[in-house]
Amino acid sequence: MIRSLLVANRAEIARRIVRTCRDLGIATVAVHSDADAAAPHAREADTAVRLPGDAPADTYLRGDLLVKAALAAGADAVHPGYGFLSEHADFARAVRDAGLVWVGPPPEAMEAMASKTRAKELMRKAGVPLLDPLDPAGVTAGDLPVLVKAAAGGGGRGMRVVRDLDALPAALDSARAEAASAFGDGEIFVEPYMEGARHVEVQVLADTHGTVWTLGTRDCSLQRRHQKVIEEAPAPGLDEELRRTLTESAANAARAIGYEGAGTVEFLVSAAGRAYFLEMNTRLQVEHPVTEEIYGLDLVALQLRIAEGAALDAEPPAPRGHAVEARLYAEDPARDWQPQTGIMHRLEIAGLRVDSGPADGDAIGVHYDPMLAKVIAVAPTRAEAVRRLAHGLERARLHGPVTNRELLVRALRHPEFEAARMDTGFLERHLPELTASATASDSASAADSPRGGDDDRAVPLAALAAALADAARRPATVAGRLGGWRNVPSQPQLRSYRAEPDGTEHEVRYRLTRDGLLAEGFPGVRLLSADPGRVVLDVAGVRRTFEVAAYGDRRYVDTPQGGHAFTALPRFPDPTARTEPGSLLAPMPGTVVRVAEVAVGDRVAAGQPLLWLEAMKMEHRVTAPAAGVLTALHAATGRQVEVGALLAVVAPEE
């Protein structure tokens, strides 16, 4: 029996494992980097061990330190979670060699699937359907588009879609470099890229007595940069023959390598309905909650019981209902998915299952993945589950860095998604409409909206509410705080706010008169009450409530129809705040991992990559803003930069 478990991971998955261990009566040991010293997973475990340093390579990727921590804390088992060392066979062996229980598959099974190229050879022998790889040197125009993929690792790293034959050499080089940096293995391969395909996977669970369960299918087609964003179970729209092919192939794959524990077999399903093996993840998946919800299981508890030698029942329970999961990231989809940092003042999502990493008041840093939480809705039907999830996300209170919340809500309500007509190109194809600014350019007609400001005119109303709440923070009566009625007409109160993240500025002018609130551009809007945290307006006869929170110069306005973030602007901006034209500033804190072959004095084209930053496990290109001459380059490989740091200057062409 496992009595004490070390969780060799962090954030959401570490908290998830600790929660199950608490239910099972198992003591827990957390590990934490210096950056995670105050993180929830370290606070919630019974014991915590420091891993000196911040970077993953110095902490969570140090198998020797993790084994040492387990022994020092008296743990008798190790659970790797997902990511980091969860699929490293050498780490699993080190855990076992130290006399500890490894909560995962045998190292030999992990090695069999560690390389995607070797895994495909094994699957071919097991009769699992495959896409035939292509010789990179022999790719022709007729083979396009193709996908360049890293043989090791996952999570979208080391992957490139190539649609132009001339672009293939550069894609091979960059994928190889990224794979070597991310996984320590630069092996890559090329295969056909299937347009319009779906990403469907099968959850498997196998004990040490020969029983293999397949727990239905999951659709994970909504992806950005080959990383999943929205997942659901069961995968909709599959006929019975295709479902049987998928589940039988997954079971055959698990048996072929002597698998034990929880794992996932992933497939591409073509538009014609044919399935092709992608890879097998020899660990728990991020999206495992949707399977748990429809089968009524705790997969972490089952992992632990299998590690203790327990046998599974002959057959799994029958599934019920439908579950959908959305990954909430600290990132800006409208700006090339740039990860965001800062304090997460509040993360509150009511009525749904929320598996989160940070808690209120935690800092979102640059060292790790930007996922904040997984939000899961379950209902008897797919339509109801999708509706519940979109509604819950829309009403969430997210006070902190910019997130992808709005994109998630719009994607869930998109006609193609509602009709289950999605594929892996969905987000790329619809990104402009999913990230279009909700800020209205004309606030004058806000009160005239038939929905009372629920549409794109909602942002000016939220800015008005922020101004009224700010005024209400001044000591005095409500009337006095809002300017009060006076016998001589006064000048309007003036407040300015910048909507985040799109940067649109809103100037709010209002007066409180004998007849009530007069706000320029908002005819017919009446003030019912105003407090520092709550403003109630009558908008075209409809009562609207705005919850307002202030943190420094940031304002967060929450309504039942969605949330809005603003920066309160000073009345007199600093005239010295200037940036040289053509300056390229670091969009986020990170590390320069590559610099293009350019030199000061070279002419560059608009959009030409100049360097690459790595932040939060992702690479981001920094490109020339316009055609011109490179007049300064302040970047070198390995340099750590803060947000706003000057990286280069391109003098625009006259």
Side-chain angles (χ1 to χ4, degrees):
M1 296 291 290
I2 296 173
R3 292 177 172 80
S4 179
L5 177 82
L6 180 129
V7 184
N9 218 295
R10 63 177 300 279
E12 173 269 324
I13 186 56
R15 299 181 74 187
R16 165 76 185 84
I17 295 167
V18 167
R19 188 167 66 244
T20 288
C21 286
R22 190 179 296 123
D23 292 341
L24 295 179
I26 297 175
T28 52
V29 180
V31 289
H32 67 82
S33 66
D34 291 335
D36 278 341
H41 79 273
R43 300 196 304 264
E44 292 169 358
D46 299 308
T47 309
V49 179
R50 175 186 176 230
L51 303 174
D54 292 325
D58 301 325
T59 54
Y60 300 105
L61 290 173
R62 284 284 302 274
D64 56 333
L65 296 183
L66 295 170
V67 171
K68 183 179 178 180
L71 296 173
D76 47 29
V78 173
H79 193 306
Y82 56 70
F84 293 132
L85 295 177
S86 61
E87 296 183 273
H88 284 232
D90 288 344
F91 178 52
R93 285 197 179 91
V95 169
R96 289 185 169 187
D97 290 347
L100 304 168
V101 175
W102 169 252
V103 184
E108 297 75 19
M110 299 170 71
E111 283 178 333
M113 291 295 177
S115 166
K116 294 181 179 66
T117 51
R118 291 192 293 274
K120 290 196 173 191
E121 293 172 3
L122 287 171
M123 293 302 97
R124 190 182 302 280
K125 294 178 182 178
V128 177
L130 298 170
L131 276 175
D132 291 325
L134 300 170
D135 178 4
V139 173
T140 67
D143 295 322
L144 299 175
V146 297
L147 185 64
V148 179
K149 299 178 70 173
R157 304 297 300 273
M159 295 178 68
R160 304 287 188 276
V161 177
V162 179
R163 302 180 185 278
D164 183 345
L165 202 57
D166 293 338
L168 181 59
L172 293 169
D173 291 342
S174 61
R176 190 177 290 112
E178 186 178 7
S181 172
F183 315 122
D185 183 348
E187 183 186 355
I188 58 174
F189 65 99
V190 178
E191 66 183 16
Y193 179 68
M194 295 174 57
E195 302 277 12
R198 293 172 59 182
H199 187 132
V200 180
E201 60 191 28
V202 178
Q203 175 74 57
V204 298
L205 199 67
D207 63 19
T208 58
H209 306 279
T211 299
V212 176
W213 282 1
T214 57
L215 297 174
T217 57
R218 295 189 289 248
D219 188 291
C220 308
S221 297
L222 264 67
Q223 304 177 3
R224 57 100 164 97
R225 292 183 167 183
H226 309 290
Q227 292 179 310
K228 302 162 189 172
V229 177
I230 295 178
E231 305 102 342
E232 59 183 299
L238 305 182
D239 61 44
E240 193 54 42
E241 182 180 353
L242 180 54
R243 286 185 188 277
R244 186 167 55 252
T245 297
L246 291 166
T247 55
E248 288 180 355
S249 295
N252 290 340
R255 293 189 180 97
I257 60 173
Y259 199 78
E260 297 170 7
T264 298
V265 185
E266 304 195 346
F267 300 86
L268 274 181
V269 175
S270 71
R274 295 192 61 185
Y276 300 94
F277 172 81
L278 269 179
E279 61 185 352
M280 182 174 186
N281 294 128
T282 54
R283 54 169 169 79
L284 196 67
Q285 288 282 84
V286 179
E287 58 272 20
H288 75 272
V290 292
T291 297
E292 290 185 322
E293 292 297 331
I294 65 170
Y295 279 89
L297 298 171
D298 182 331
L299 290 178
V300 173
L302 288 169
Q303 283 184 295
L304 294 167
R305 289 174 180 136
I306 288 170
E308 290 177 329
L312 295 171
D313 293 338
E315 297 292 336
R320 296 181 62 184
H322 200 97
V324 188
E325 171 182 291
R327 302 191 193 186
L328 186 67
Y329 286 101
E331 66 183 13
D332 188 349
R335 290 173 171 78
D336 198 28
W337 310 98
Q338 287 180 5
Q340 306 291 302
T341 60
I343 302 298
M344 196 72 219
H345 300 287
R346 191 172 188 181
L347 199 167
E348 179 184 309
I349 306 173
L352 301 173
R353 172 175 170 176
V354 179
D355 290 7
S356 64
D360 290 357
D362 286 340
I364 309 303
V366 301
H367 301 289
Y368 312 111
D369 187 273
M371 189 174 75
L372 300 173
K374 303 180 310 194
V375 187
I376 305 100
V378 62
T381 68
R382 180 179 189 269
E384 291 175 280
V386 170
R387 182 177 64 189
R388 285 194 67 212
L389 182 55
H391 182 70
L393 285 167
E394 187 174 52
R395 298 172 68 96
R397 297 188 179 185
L398 306 175
H399 302 169
V402 172
T403 73
N404 66 334
R405 184 256 298 270
E406 186 66 25
L407 174 134
L408 294 173
V409 173
R410 292 181 181 183
L412 289 165
R413 290 175 173 165
H414 193 281
E416 284 186 24
F417 183 82
E418 289 182 332
R421 296 200 310 269
M422 59 282 187
D423 58 70
T424 56
F426 176 91
L427 288 182
E428 181 181 0
R429 188 167 62 250
H430 296 294
L431 191 61
E433 63 189 276
L434 296 177
T435 58
S437 171
T439 301
S441 59
D442 178 14
S443 63
S445 57
D448 300 329
S449 166
R451 297 176 60 199
D454 291 351
D455 59 4
D456 60 354
R457 299 176 183 86
V459 180
L461 276 170
L464 173 62
L468 296 172
D470 279 346
R473 289 188 181 86
R474 303 170 192 160
T477 64
V478 172
R481 289 196 300 259
L482 296 174
W485 178 84
R486 56 188 75 180
N487 197 34
V488 179
S490 64
Q491 293 296 313
Q493 300 291 316
L494 173 64
R495 300 283 299 189
S496 295
Y497 299 90
R498 183 178 64 240
E500 305 296 349
D502 74 354
T504 304
E505 293 189 11
H506 297 267
E507 196 173 78
V508 179
R509 297 175 182 269
Y510 67 90
R511 286 188 295 141
L512 199 66
T513 71
R514 184 193 304 270
D515 299 320
L517 174 71
L518 289 180
E520 295 183 12
F522 297 92
V525 174
R526 293 193 303 118
L527 173 64
L528 301 181
S529 65
D531 292 304
R534 195 167 189 260
V535 173
V536 183
L537 300 174
D538 182 298
V539 182
V542 180
R543 179 189 177 103
R544 299 291 178 190
T545 301
F546 302 82
E547 305 288 343
V548 184
Y551 309 91
D553 63 354
R554 276 298 179 98
R555 304 292 182 268
Y556 296 91
V557 182
D558 294 305
T559 78
Q561 293 77 37
H564 309 276
F566 301 94
T567 298
L569 301 177
R571 293 189 63 185
F572 305 103
D574 182 359
T576 63
R578 297 285 188 270
T579 302
E580 182 180 351
S583 296
L584 276 74
L585 307 181
M588 69 208 78
T591 304
V592 178
V593 292
R594 282 188 289 153
V595 178
E597 295 182 3
V598 292
V600 172
D602 288 354
R603 297 181 65 82
V604 296
Q608 178 178 335
L610 301 180
L611 57 100
W612 287 260
L613 281 178
E614 183 175 82
M616 293 182 170
K617 297 174 63 179
M618 295 174 68
E619 268 193 14
H620 305 269
R621 294 191 308 170
V622 177
T623 62
V629 177
L630 184 67
T631 60
L633 184 62
H634 303 287
T637 301
R639 178 190 170 194
Q640 300 277 339
V641 298
E642 295 299 321
V643 62
L646 181 64
L647 301 174
V649 179
V650 176
E653 291 181 335
E654 295 184 1

